[in-house]
Amino acid sequence: MGITISFIILGTILLWFLIEADGKWLPKVFAILITLMFSLNVARSFNNLSGWASDDDLPEKFLIHWVLVKEPSKAGGDTGGIYVWVSN
């Protein structure tokens, strides 16, 4: 979470200085779009970096760190699942 907040603060400061600076608008628009695209890419790829659940296939060789089995619950409506923490 700290990485996301730091990026938002740095992106805001960068864009604020960029908008307030004198100069041509075309390079400013280009820099704003690059910053926006970079922030969207960070947001999309952050799920894989932070260890959140993923539907990706397991690699051929990997190291298991932890396994959690959640039993389904009819009363709570939980379908259950098997969560595996691995690294390659």
Side-chain angles (χ1 to χ4, degrees), residues 7 33-46:
F7 180 75
L33 289 175
I34 293 294
T35 304
L36 177 63
M37 289 177 60
F38 183 73
S39 64
L40 292 176
N41 284 333
V42 167
R44 276 192 299 156
S45 66
F46 202 63

Side-chain angles (χ1 to χ4, degrees), residues 53 55 67-73 77-84:
D55 293 332
V67 176
L68 174 66
V69 178
K70 290 185 74 174
E71 296 289 333
S73 171
D78 186 17
T79 58
I82 300 174
Y83 302 98
V84 183

Side-chain angles (χ1 to χ4, degrees), residues 7 18 29 36-37 61 79 86-87:
F7 180 75
L18 186 68
V29 170
L36 177 63
M37 289 177 60
K61 290 185 176 185
T79 58
V86 300
S87 64

Side-chain angles (χ1 to χ4, degrees), residues 19-39:
I19 291 171
E20 293 294 323
D22 294 333
K24 298 181 181 178
W25 272 99
L26 189 59
K28 289 181 181 184
V29 170
F30 183 69
I32 290 169
L33 289 175
I34 293 294
T35 304
L36 177 63
M37 289 177 60
F38 183 73
S39 64

